[in-house]
Amino acid sequence: MGLALWMTGCGMAHPSVKTESPAKEMVAFVDVNVVPMDSERLLAHQTVVVQGEHIVALGPVDSTPVPAGAARVEGQGRYLMPGLADMHLHLVPGTGQPEDPAGQVLALLLANGVTTARALGGPKDTALVVRARVARGEVLGPTLRVAAPSMHGKSVQGPEQARQRVREYKAAGYDGLKTHGFLGRETYDAMMAEARAQGLPVSGHVTPDVGLVHALESGQQIEHLDGYLNELLPENDGARAEVGQVEVGEPLERMDPARIPALAEATRKAGVWSSPTLALFETVTSPEGVESLRARPELCYAKQASVEAWTQMLANDPQMANVPAERKRRFAELRRQVARGLYTAGAKLMVGSDSPQLFMVAGFAVHREMEALAEAGIPPYGVLEAATRNAAEYLGEADSWGTVAEGRRADLLLLEANPLRDVKHTRDIAGVMVRGKWLPRSELDGMLERTAVVANAPPPVKKGVATATSTSP
């Protein structure tokens, strides 16, 4: 049962869920097992009452009444946990309408149980518009946090421009900053200092001009485990300044995993949070090749032109050409060891998919990342924590969402099996509640079907432009 959502859509039906989408203000989940995510525990046989956007009651089914007029969702044998958070995705063009690309991403996220998402990239002219439309209830989607356009060596020239950009982005209403690195130490420091002054968190890449140690000292939230593999090389190794995000060459042989515990402890002491994006990098360096990636069932929700572009990108990547499979596996394993080391040391992890791109489909990619973290040796509760309460804590919103408790925002995921036993059970979704709106399985399936149809529809013919036909010379 754990892979039911995985097999849903593209003509494959999900087992029916005996609930109906209520039009009433109150919803009660009756006799459900609650995974509250405030600690590693399970509350059996509970009733959870939602009114409006918030949880207003949670207690044993025998002593927690269902208010008159409340819509009942039968929870017996099911599991209720907080909705998932994708802390690294990219918004695409559109304003969130079901027929536009942005709306398709929002639908795919909700259909996979993602009720909060942080965009670390997206169209400058529409990202804030989509965030606002979701917040106002004009379009349905996860609660969004949006980072400003990336600050990097080509977009920012010098410390003063860095400071000015930070002030501009604060005034524009962005929730944080994104960097792709290559700023140089002086410009980077100016960006970080102004970001602290403006109260904007900084997330993103770490490049050799700054280095992992300085990024930790500066308090940057780190994406992709950038910088860690560099630090596994001997201190006087010249490759430290050359190793990039993907390294499948000879320097791999000199990387020493024994250095990981000290780096992980330094990360914990610095209070720096990491989003490893393991699944994306394991996709890029997959030893099985591009054909296995093209077989992923969720690609029916991606535009086929995108699938072909991803195929060409990976098939023609000179860095991957003729790389032995064992090198690719060692690269992936070192990254898993770093992620496991961070978790063991108590450094905080978050789940980020970096989708949609390179065979990583929005929503589905969150489950791939959770499963990659589990395969790295992180226990189910640790993975669930990274996907729920950790994100809320990082954003300073732990008193609002990320756990199941009275007063919390009603972002909830109803599952058919216990996710504390296996994180793959987060795919087996009976329904999703986002800000108090209940979406049963039937509605989620409808969203997936519409997305598949729109994603694979031919582009509309522009007015006044004749459709081209093929003729032989």
Side-chain angles (χ1 to χ4, degrees):
M1 291 295 290
L3 294 178
L5 178 59
W6 178 264
M7 302 302 293
T8 298
C10 303
M12 304 187 75
H14 189 283
S16 62
V17 173
K18 296 179 180 179
T19 56
E20 296 180 358
S21 180
K24 300 176 182 179
E25 187 178 2
M26 277 192 169
V27 179
F29 298 89
V30 182
D31 197 12
V32 71
N33 301 303
V34 174
V35 184
M37 291 307 301
D38 54 3
S39 62
E40 189 172 0
R41 63 179 181 143
L42 184 69
L43 305 176
H45 303 296
Q46 303 287 297
T47 289
V48 178
V49 181
V50 173
Q51 183 172 22
E53 294 191 359
H54 294 90
I55 298 169
V56 295
L58 187 162
V61 64
D62 293 338
S63 58
T64 307
V66 176
R72 292 173 62 102
V73 177
E74 297 302 328
Q76 188 171 20
R78 294 178 177 150
Y79 297 80
L80 191 70
M81 65 170 284
L84 306 176
D86 187 345
M87 290 296 282
H88 188 154
L89 60 78
H90 294 265
L91 287 177
V92 293
T95 59
Q97 294 300 122
E99 65 274 8
D100 70 31
Q104 294 166 47
V105 167
L106 297 180
L108 290 173
L109 291 169
L110 287 179
N112 281 277
V114 178
T115 55
T116 302
R118 180 179 63 164
L120 290 182
K124 184 178 181 181
D125 55 342
T126 60
L128 293 178
V129 171
V130 174
R131 183 190 69 180
R133 296 197 72 201
V134 171
R136 291 194 297 262
E138 295 173 9
V139 295
L140 186 62
T143 299
L144 294 175
R145 298 289 177 262
V146 176
S150 176
M151 299 179 69
H152 51 80
K154 293 183 179 180
S155 68
V156 177
Q157 303 299 317
E160 185 49 46
Q161 189 178 51
R163 286 188 282 266
Q164 180 61 31
R165 286 282 171 81
V166 174
R167 292 191 289 267
E168 290 173 357
Y169 292 150
K170 173 69 174 182
Y174 287 102
D175 299 302
L177 303 178
K178 165 74 178 291
T179 178
H180 275 91
F182 298 107
L183 289 163
R185 181 70 66 89
E186 185 180 6
T187 301
Y188 175 86
D189 288 346
M191 174 188 70
M192 294 300 296
E194 189 63 34
R196 285 191 292 272
Q198 297 294 334
L200 288 176
V202 179
S203 304
H205 299 215
V206 176
T207 44
D209 54 305
V210 170
L212 176 66
V213 173
H214 190 64
L216 293 177
E217 293 170 346
S218 303
Q220 178 192 322
Q221 189 264 304
I222 296 175
E223 294 293 309
H224 314 301
L225 301 179
D226 277 3
Y228 284 92
L229 295 192
N230 307 62
E231 293 293 328
L232 299 186
L233 289 163
E235 292 184 7
N236 60 351
D237 195 314
R240 277 192 169 209
E242 300 171 0
V243 168
Q245 288 185 311
V246 178
E247 179 55 69
V248 290
E250 176 268 339
L252 274 177
E253 309 305 323
R254 303 195 301 278
M255 293 178 183
D256 184 4
R259 296 174 176 268
I260 292 174
L263 294 172
E265 178 61 17
T267 305
R268 184 196 66 79
K269 286 184 177 179
V272 167
W273 301 59
S274 298
S275 176
T277 62
L278 294 181
L280 172 65
F281 283 80
E282 290 173 16
T283 295
V284 171
T285 60
S286 171
E288 283 72 34
V290 73
E291 288 307 314
S292 68
L293 301 177
R294 289 176 62 93
R296 291 181 172 181
E298 68 265 35
L299 290 181
C300 64
Y301 304 111
K303 291 185 180 298
Q304 292 310 296
S306 297
V307 175
E308 295 304 323
W310 299 337
T311 299
Q312 293 303 314
M313 190 179 303
L314 292 188
N316 299 323
D317 184 354
Q319 189 177 7
M320 291 294 114
N322 302 317
V323 174
E326 188 52 42
R327 279 264 178 91
K328 295 178 180 180
R329 292 190 183 97
R330 176 168 172 77
F331 171 74
E333 179 55 29
L334 281 172
R335 287 176 50 83
R336 289 174 185 160
Q337 289 178 316
V338 171
R340 184 167 64 247
L342 290 170
Y343 175 79
T344 301
K348 298 281 189 169
L349 300 178
M350 298 186 291
V351 168
S353 70
D354 205 357
S355 65
Q357 64 159 318
L358 290 173
F359 301 96
M360 302 291 284
V361 177
F364 294 91
V366 172
H367 295 283
R368 287 194 176 274
E369 178 64 9
M370 293 172 67
E371 289 158 19
L373 290 168
E375 289 170 7
I378 297 172
Y381 180 75
V383 177
L384 297 176
E385 197 174 36
T388 57
R389 62 175 291 177
N390 279 9
E393 288 180 11
Y394 172 76
L395 293 172
E397 300 171 1
D399 59 347
S400 298
W401 60 278
T403 52
V404 182
E406 290 185 17
R408 296 293 188 268
R409 192 167 72 214
D411 289 341
L412 301 168
L413 185 54
L414 184 63
L415 304 173
E416 300 285 8
N418 187 353
L420 292 172
R421 292 185 177 177
D422 190 333
V423 297
K424 288 182 179 179
H425 292 325
T426 58
R427 293 184 183 269
D428 195 4
I429 298 174
V432 174
M433 177 169 276
V434 56
R435 296 183 301 280
K437 179 175 176 57
W438 172 238
L439 302 169
R441 181 72 256 169
S442 59
E443 290 194 27
L444 300 180
D445 286 343
M447 293 163 65
L448 288 172
E449 289 176 14
R450 287 192 298 273
T451 301
V453 170
V454 173
N456 291 290
V461 177
K462 294 182 180 179
K463 293 181 179 180
V465 179
T467 302
T469 58
S470 175
T471 57
S472 300

